[in-house]
Amino acid sequence: MPLSTLTRGQHWSPMALGPIAWWYAHPQFLTLGAGAVVNEWRDRSGNGNTLTPPGAVNPTFNAAGWRAGVGAVDFDGATQFLSATSGSILAAMAGADAPFSALVTARIDASSDHGILEWSDVLLARSEWRTNNTPPEVLRYRRVDDAAGSVTVTGALDVGTVNGRLGISFPGTTVTTYRARDVDSAAAACNVGTCTFATFQLGKTTVGQLDGVIAECIILPRAMTAAEWERYVYYSIGEFG
């Protein structure tokens, strides 16, 4: 698997986006156990936001999970996910209207309700990004504050069961989602109050778990622009195919 990419004639890395976390599915950034189970997925951004499985629910590293010769972390859709319960991945997203973006190179392997990622609290608060099998399988973002105020935004584009790129940008009171180069929902209203988060999860939300693979996930502590998303899509295609 390549670890750098020549994109449109210039070397470019997701570090140019200033990520708070960058999980890249390569053994260099994974701690693997017997049977290629993932014991740690280390943060490539330098911010120390390592993900671990909570108990015996480890996803696995599939060396050809994305395509021949290109690996990905494989989630079973039933019990496997990764999480963090401390660090800047949580602290930066707490409060009212804290912005974030997520850029994901992933594939869903079966049509169903699937969790992509979520910030949550033991009581109410949620920042939940998933797919919703109505059908078709479309992107859905739900934000719930500490007082149970809730807004849900549902996109329109079928994400399918093919290798793809999914993006979300939350400036604080609206949300925009992307499927590949297409804008799925554009600046849809999504405004609630203060959110307190205790856990970040990758591959699971309160509604469904991911049955599929993730080759890369990047979290920004800010909203991304449409131009940045397009640059990421070109990078991801060059990096993973």
Side-chain angles (χ1 to χ4, degrees):
M1 178 188 292
L3 288 173
S4 61
T5 297
L6 188 66
T7 305
R8 286 189 164 186
Q10 296 180 342
H11 289 285
W12 187 87
S13 162
M15 285 299 287
L17 299 172
I20 199 166
W22 175 14
W23 301 293
Y24 183 106
H26 187 280
Q28 179 178 341
F29 307 106
L30 298 165
T31 301
L32 302 176
V37 300
V38 176
N39 291 323
E40 290 184 329
W41 197 350
R42 295 185 299 280
D43 176 10
R44 195 177 173 186
S45 77
N47 292 310
N49 289 303
T50 295
L51 299 179
T52 59
V57 290
N58 307 54
T60 58
F61 175 68
N62 184 338
W66 188 252
R67 62 179 176 86
V70 180
V73 175
D74 200 331
F75 299 81
D76 69 354
T79 62
Q80 298 170 353
F81 64 100
L82 296 165
S83 68
T85 57
S86 64
S88 58
I89 189 64
L90 289 168
M93 308 308 165
D97 304 336
F100 79 92
S101 300
L103 307 85
V104 182
T105 295
R107 182 183 69 247
I108 293 169
D109 287 334
S111 185
S112 185
D113 293 330
H114 290 308
I116 302 172
L117 54 82
E118 177 186 72
W119 287 267
S120 65
D121 182 63
V122 292
L123 297 176
L124 293 172
R126 296 283 185 272
S127 175
E128 176 189 83
W129 191 35
R130 64 182 181 94
T131 62
N132 182 58
N133 181 34
T134 48
E137 187 122 9
V138 296
L139 293 171
R140 173 171 283 184
Y141 178 67
R142 180 176 68 134
R143 192 168 182 89
V144 184
D145 64 25
D146 294 348
S150 177
V151 179
T152 300
V153 174
T154 301
L157 300 177
D158 189 352
V159 301
T161 54
V162 296
N163 290 356
R165 285 81 192 170
L166 307 175
I168 184 169
S169 179
F170 178 74
T173 60
T174 65
V175 65
T176 297
T177 57
Y178 300 89
R179 183 205 64 181
R181 294 183 62 196
D182 299 314
V183 177
D184 183 32
S185 60
C190 191
N191 189 21
V192 297
T194 298
C195 295
T196 302
F197 299 129
T199 303
F200 172 80
Q201 298 180 150
L202 183 64
K204 179 181 180 180
T205 69
T206 52
V207 184
Q209 292 189 219
L210 178 62
D211 184 348
V213 302
I214 296 177
E216 182 174 65
C217 177
I218 296 161
I219 307 294
L220 310 182
R222 61 174 180 83
M224 67 179 168
T225 67
E228 287 174 326
W229 171 249
E230 183 174 5
R231 186 67 182 268
Y232 175 75
V233 170
Y234 283 117
Y235 149 83
S236 179
I237 292 169
E239 188 78 358
F240 301 102

